[in-house]
Amino acid sequence: MAAPAFAVSGAGLVGAPAPRSGGAERRRRGVELLFGRNKPPCFPRAVRAGGSERRVAVRAGGASGEVMIPDGESDGMPPSSNDGSVQFQSDDLEVPFIDDDSVIEDAGGDTTGSSEPNLAAEEADSEGMTKIDQELSTGEKLRDVPQPGNGEQIYEIDPMLRDFKYHLGYRYSLYRRLRSDIDQYEGGMDAFSRGYDKFGFNRSAEGITYREWAPGAHSAALVGDFNNWDPNADRMSKDDLGVWEIFLPNNADGSSPIPHGSRVKVRMETPSGIKDSIPAWIKYSVQAPGDIPYNGIYYDPPEEEKYVFKHPQPKRPKSLRIYETHVGMSSPEPKINTYGNFRDEVLPRVKRLGYNAVQIMAIQEHSYYGSFGYHVTNFFAPSSRFGTPEDLKSLIDRAHELGLVVLMDVVHSHASSNTLDGLNGFDGTDTHYFHGGSRGHHWMWDSRVFDYGNWEVIRFLLSNARWWLEEYKFDGFRFDGVTSMMYTHHGLQVVFTGNYNEYFGFATDVDAVVYLMLVNDLIHGLYPEAITIGEDVSGMPTFALPVQVGGVGFDYRLHMAVADKWIELLKGSDEAWKMGDIVHTLTNRRWLEKCVTYAESHDQALVGDKTIAFWLMDKDMYDFMALDRPSTPNIDRGIALHKMIRLITMGLGGEGYLNFMGNEFGHPEWIDFPRGPQVLPTGKFIPGNNNSYDKCRRRFDLGDAEYLRYHGMQQFDQAMQHLEGKYGFMTSDHQYVSRKHEEDKVIVFEKGDLVFVFNFHCSNSYFDYRVGCLNPGMYKVVLDSDAGIFGGFGRIHHTAEHFTSDCQHDNRPHSFSVYTPSRTCVVYAPMN
């Protein structure tokens, strides 16, 4: 029998049967059997041991529960909290090896049962679920997230997964156990994901309650403008789970004890010394002029200043056409743009261009602007650079009025390493929200890696996703850096070949994958119209399958290989392009797993990289884009291929399409955030750009200028989006590639009722070129990249009628003849 899968510090193990003598493998298996079967990590139970009580919480990344040890027997166990709680590493223990697979419950089954009296459940009944229910301030009835399925359907969808059933079964059993524990100890996913109603600042009729989970802190006090930063004025008390709390009654006149807009921090005495931190659940933070660290802001505007949403959220579109944006750089002027200007200037543009979704980057507060929003410091706070929370709500409401869904680029894959205004070392320990040691530090990104097996981290991140959907009415998320989450090597210096052993082995962080299952479960359970997209470069099987059938739960995978393929091709000569290779890359997707594809995103626009337009036209873009000047061969080739690459990517690449703002018209230059010179830890000197915003903006005026060739490129992209909106070809059930001719450099395919004809040849045009089709009748041109309005040469007659014959061609029952000029793409639709 194949060996079952176990968890080693969150990594799933699949392989040969465990050795029958000594070693780490024996200890790991014994630990799993001893600890992995009953208690959640958040409610350690006290048991008498050696005459004294000692709580030892054992993580449930693959083992939940606890073991009690007498005082004085803690050598080798790293403390992570002030109350004696520790997190076991499995190699710290020698336990008997149990060579009996029968005691391991069948992978995929329910592992929540236990014959022991559940003392933790009794504690939770009185201190956990009931307390949370009493503290929910919304008055709303708790909503249900559908219960887990059996997770077995994935083996019918992909029979190759059966060889990894123990790993996948273990993964699903851990997910089921966490769901059961959340139901039992927290009152369900709805209550558990409202951590913001318990932690941070919460206002009631009587005053303000502030709570913070900081088990490593020795003392804590709330300080701020409201008490003149006096650390002795409002000292907090700590419970046995490491949660600090204080209640501030209203002032005598009934006003809030903390004025809206005032600065607040929590001062803690920690193992690393005394530190002032921005509350972890802060809803708004700002950087004062001249300051480096941010300040937490108590945000509770009066009712008349709160934004009230006026428009319903749009239904989830069948096909996604996403306009990827960044508020700060969305102005043509060299400045940081605002939520208000984005609402008034950019959103109408997105609608006019034919996109149905806008994805916004850098919403979560990040102290370093140049991080593109990926080094998050305050997870519940919208970036104050662009305006207030009410401004952001107004932006989203306007998008809904225009019929646009709004996706947020959410970062749960890592966090800023800042200690002054971020989560790093929040309670003075290295293992608070994050893994300790090297595993908790992302070596390439210089950031911290969350411990996804920690109960309070799960609460924090689930609540964070819920907060943005509930408070701001976002319509879904694009989860950043998911590959980094799912593997302990973060997908770095690793080549994924598609071998399933790469996905289900030691390097897989099962805790992180299970967290992704939980967050997708939460989002789709409470917000059925919400959309989740995961950025994964590895090709993880089951990634975009529902959790109930055993998948990770995303609606879409971001298909990142396509952009890499285009760059690879553009580095070579056009004559070397292989039509079959292009089609394979675009269509190489897992069955039933939807993809959002793109020819280029913000990544290719950053300084140090090159956009497709720059690869194609390079320096000629500076001098030959005006229509009153002669073109060059580079410009003609670049404009033609720019259009072809985008249409074939949309046509064959997936069920969704993404474009970064400005790239639709071949935006010149690159993105370079304002920065000063710096010296890396290695001693390498990196020059700055004099903190200039000149390259940190989008020149939309270039795409709008009818006297520039950029305008034709923008017009083509607009026509392409509207064509998809009319015919819905990205999500059509019918797709057939009938021709991949290497010598002719021609690709022909059908999507729905449409027939797409691409001629990539650099010089050959073909008259009376026969193309196959499924449906008989008369076809006409509905999109032509060579049209004059799109910067082409106008070689196609749009009034021509193409009648099919019963002559079979390329294995199609019908066919018709076309003229296909070099470097053009034309779409034909039946006129029956």
Side-chain angles (χ1 to χ4, degrees):
M1 183 176 78
F6 305 106
V8 183
S9 297
L13 163 63
V14 176
R20 296 185 178 271
S21 62
E25 297 301 327
R26 173 179 291 185
R27 294 197 299 274
R28 292 186 184 107
R29 189 177 184 191
V31 168
E32 174 68 17
L33 293 173
L34 182 62
F35 300 145
R37 303 187 60 175
N38 56 7
K39 304 298 184 291
C42 58
F43 295 115
R45 59 189 175 92
V47 179
R48 292 285 178 182
S52 64
E53 282 192 350
R54 180 81 184 279
R55 292 174 184 256
V56 181
V58 180
R59 296 181 58 255
S64 65
E66 61 184 12
V67 63
M68 308 314 300
I69 61 173
D71 283 344
E73 295 186 15
S74 60
D75 289 347
M77 300 193 304
S80 64
S81 70
N82 194 44
D83 62 4
S85 297
V86 305
Q87 294 190 338
F88 265 123
Q89 299 297 321
S90 55
D91 284 342
D92 291 330
L93 296 177
E94 284 286 355
V95 297
F97 176 71
I98 304 174
D99 187 22
D100 183 2
D101 286 341
S102 65
V103 303
I104 304 177
E105 300 188 29
D106 182 40
D110 192 339
T111 59
T112 59
S114 173
S115 58
E116 301 178 40
N118 198 328
L119 303 182
E122 296 175 11
E123 179 181 352
D125 286 342
S126 59
E127 298 293 329
M129 182 176 65
T130 302
K131 185 175 182 179
I132 290 178
D133 286 343
Q134 293 170 347
E135 290 176 345
L136 287 174
S137 60
T138 62
E140 299 177 3
K141 182 179 179 181
L142 295 181
R143 292 180 275 176
D144 292 327
V145 175
Q147 290 301 307
N150 61 20
E152 296 284 328
Q153 292 93 321
I154 54 173
Y155 307 114
E156 301 171 13
I157 295 170
D158 185 354
M160 291 180 63
L161 294 172
R162 291 171 183 163
D163 291 339
F164 302 91
K165 192 168 184 177
Y166 288 104
H167 178 106
L168 292 164
Y170 167 74
R171 183 178 88 179
Y172 206 75
S173 68
L174 177 57
Y175 154 74
R176 286 168 58 95
R177 183 169 68 208
L178 285 171
R179 280 293 310 272
S180 176
D181 288 344
I182 289 170
D183 288 345
Q184 183 174 1
Y185 301 115
E186 299 281 0
M189 290 279 278
D190 187 9
F192 186 55
S193 63
R194 293 187 184 189
Y196 46 79
D197 284 337
K198 176 179 180 179
F199 292 96
F201 295 94
N202 282 281
R203 180 77 190 275
S204 67
E206 292 76 29
I208 296 173
T209 301
Y210 170 63
R211 295 189 185 92
E212 199 74 73
W213 175 62
H218 305 313
S219 67
L222 182 62
V223 296
D225 294 330
F226 73 99
N227 63 7
N228 294 317
W229 301 89
D230 182 355
N232 297 311
D234 296 292
R235 301 185 68 83
M236 304 174 70
S237 60
K238 180 182 179 183
D239 69 14
D240 58 359
L241 296 178
V243 177
W244 295 88
E245 179 176 343
I246 188 171
F247 175 75
L248 302 176
N250 288 333
N251 296 323
D253 60 0
S255 62
S256 172
I258 306 178
H260 163 61
S262 58
R263 296 174 298 169
V264 288
K265 286 191 176 182
V266 55
R267 178 164 297 178
M268 291 176 285
E269 181 185 354
T270 77
S272 302
I274 296 176
K275 66 189 296 278
D276 289 353
S277 295
I278 294 177
W281 299 71
I282 198 71
K283 305 303 191 301
Y284 194 50
S285 62
V286 300
Q287 184 181 39
D291 283 358
I292 294 177
Y294 274 59
N295 285 293
I297 299 296
Y298 177 72
Y299 193 83
D300 184 24
E303 290 299 320
E304 62 271 15
E305 295 181 13
K306 293 181 179 179
Y307 187 84
V308 178
F309 286 91
K310 306 175 183 66
H311 305 285
Q313 294 176 246
K315 297 292 185 182
R316 177 203 300 228
K318 186 176 181 181
S319 57
L320 274 177
R321 302 186 300 277
I322 303 171
Y323 199 73
E324 185 185 31
T325 65
H326 182 287
V327 171
M329 66 175 65
S330 64
S331 171
E333 302 173 24
K335 66 177 185 179
I336 295 179
N337 207 10
T338 65
Y339 294 126
N341 285 340
F342 185 94
R343 174 196 63 213
D344 298 337
E345 303 295 334
V346 179
L347 289 179
R349 169 181 296 275
V350 176
K351 179 67 174 180
R352 184 176 70 252
L353 289 175
Y355 292 85
N356 59 15
V358 56
Q359 178 180 306
I360 308 179
M361 308 168 64
I363 290 296
Q364 294 166 292
E365 189 60 88
H366 48 290
S367 62
Y368 178 46
Y369 189 45
S371 74
F372 227 133
Y374 291 128
H375 281 209
V376 175
T377 44
N378 309 124
F379 281 77
F380 290 80
S383 180
S384 59
R385 289 182 181 87
F386 318 135
T388 69
E390 310 312 305
D391 294 334
L392 176 58
K393 293 175 183 178
S394 174
L395 181 162
I396 295 171
D397 199 26
R398 172 59 174 152
H400 291 162
E401 182 183 11
L402 293 170
L404 299 170
V405 299
V406 187
L407 305 177
M408 175 177 162
D409 206 348
V410 71
V411 183
H412 284 181
S413 49
H414 62 134
S416 168
S417 58
N418 288 14
T419 56
L420 293 178
D421 47 20
L423 291 179
N424 186 21
F426 184 85
D427 69 347
T429 69
D430 189 49
T431 57
H432 185 199
Y433 282 94
F434 311 105
H435 286 291
S438 61
R439 187 178 176 188
H441 294 264
H442 199 294
W443 64 269
M444 177 170 279
W445 295 346
D446 186 27
S447 56
R448 295 304 311 270
V449 179
F450 284 107
D451 180 355
Y452 300 101
N454 184 293
W455 191 265
E456 292 303 327
V457 172
I458 295 173
R459 186 201 307 273
F460 182 84
L461 294 176
L462 288 180
S463 299
N464 186 242
R466 174 81 178 271
W467 171 254
W468 295 108
L469 296 174
E470 192 81 24
E471 181 72 12
Y472 289 90
K473 309 300 181 188
F474 278 99
D475 302 294
F477 300 108
R478 178 261 200 186
F479 280 81
D480 175 72
V482 176
T483 302
S484 177
M485 296 173 66
M486 295 192 298
Y487 307 97
T488 54
H489 52 58
H490 305 305
L492 301 174
Q493 299 180 333
V494 172
V495 176
F496 290 96
T497 66
N499 186 313
Y500 278 31
N501 288 292
E502 297 166 352
Y503 307 118
F504 310 118
F506 273 121
T508 306
D509 188 337
V510 179
D511 288 342
V513 176
V514 170
Y515 164 70
L516 293 170
M517 295 167 70
L518 287 171
V519 73
N520 276 297
D521 216 10
L522 173 78
I523 292 168
H524 294 128
L526 298 183
Y527 308 91
E529 294 293 324
I531 300 163
T532 60
I533 304 167
E535 183 195 41
D536 172 40
V537 72
S538 73
M540 164 72 78
T542 76
F543 186 81
L545 292 175
V547 175
Q548 277 65 30
V549 307
V552 182
F554 286 100
D555 294 309
Y556 298 87
R557 183 199 313 272
L558 194 64
H559 196 358
M560 304 175 70
V562 173
D564 294 338
K565 172 57 67 175
W566 288 124
I567 299 305
E568 174 190 324
L569 293 175
L570 291 171
K571 289 179 178 179
S573 66
D574 298 1
E575 292 80 4
W577 290 20
K578 300 296 184 184
M579 302 299 101
D581 187 29
I582 292 173
V583 170
H584 173 75
T585 300
L586 289 169
T587 59
N588 184 23
R589 306 191 292 277
R590 297 194 181 280
W591 187 48
L592 297 182
E593 298 194 41
K594 294 187 292 186
C595 288
V596 170
T597 191
Y598 57 92
E600 55 185 342
S601 69
H602 69 274
D603 288 328
Q604 287 72 38
L606 283 169
V607 62
D609 210 331
K610 296 169 82 172
T611 64
I612 288 176
F614 235 101
W615 277 109
L616 289 166
M617 296 178 279
D618 204 28
K619 65 182 187 317
D620 281 11
M621 296 177 70
Y622 295 112
D623 298 314
F624 300 100
M625 294 300 283
L627 291 174
D628 62 356
R629 293 187 182 185
S631 183
T632 69
N634 268 352
I635 293 296
D636 292 341
R637 168 183 175 266
I639 290 176
L641 289 178
H642 190 273
K643 293 178 287 188
M644 296 179 71
I645 287 170
R646 305 179 93 74
L647 181 59
I648 198 170
T649 300
M650 172 180 264
L652 287 179
E655 295 74 22
Y657 177 83
L658 178 143
N659 168 69
F660 180 65
M661 60 179 185
N663 286 354
E664 69 275 8
F665 61 82
H667 195 289
E669 302 290 358
W670 51 86
I671 297 169
D672 191 9
F673 283 90
R675 53 191 170 83
Q678 62 179 129
V679 179
L680 300 181
T682 60
K684 182 180 179 181
F685 176 76
I686 304 295
N689 62 6
N690 294 319
N691 293 304
S692 171
Y693 288 86
D694 184 62
K695 299 292 192 297
C696 195
R697 53 175 170 159
R698 293 279 93 180
R699 293 290 306 276
F700 294 121
D701 54 309
L702 299 179
D704 293 340
E706 297 183 4
Y707 58 87
L708 296 177
R709 291 184 169 91
Y710 296 111
H711 184 66
M713 298 162 73
Q714 177 172 282
Q715 291 294 96
F716 178 79
D717 191 86
Q718 179 173 325
M720 185 175 78
Q721 304 301 326
H722 283 282
L723 182 76
E724 205 291 324
K726 179 178 180 179
Y727 290 96
F729 57 79
M730 281 198 298
T731 54
S732 171
D733 292 334
H734 175 63
Q735 172 176 304
Y736 190 89
V737 180
S738 61
R739 174 159 288 231
K740 299 170 287 184
H741 201 286
E742 299 299 346
E743 184 177 348
D744 293 348
K745 300 297 182 188
V746 170
I747 296 172
V748 179
F749 61 87
E750 304 160 24
K751 286 295 289 282
D753 293 331
L754 303 180
V755 178
F756 294 72
V757 181
F758 288 80
N759 180 358
F760 282 97
H761 205 285
C762 59
S763 58
N764 288 355
S765 299
Y766 306 106
F767 292 90
D768 293 326
Y769 200 83
R770 187 155 291 275
V771 299
C773 61
L774 175 64
N775 300 315
M778 188 262 286
Y779 286 75
K780 294 191 71 172
V781 173
V782 291
L783 182 63
D784 168 24
S785 68
D786 199 45
I789 190 176
F790 303 143
F793 295 99
R795 291 169 285 179
I796 300 292
H797 295 291
H798 298 169
T799 58
E801 298 175 342
H802 303 267
F803 292 90
T804 62
S805 68
D806 293 335
C807 174
Q808 294 189 14
H809 188 73
D810 290 339
N811 295 316
R812 309 311 289 147
H814 308 281
S815 61
F816 59 94
S817 295
V818 301
Y819 170 49
T820 173
S822 63
R823 287 184 177 145
T824 62
C825 51
V826 181
V827 184
Y828 299 87
M831 296 292 120
N832 302 27

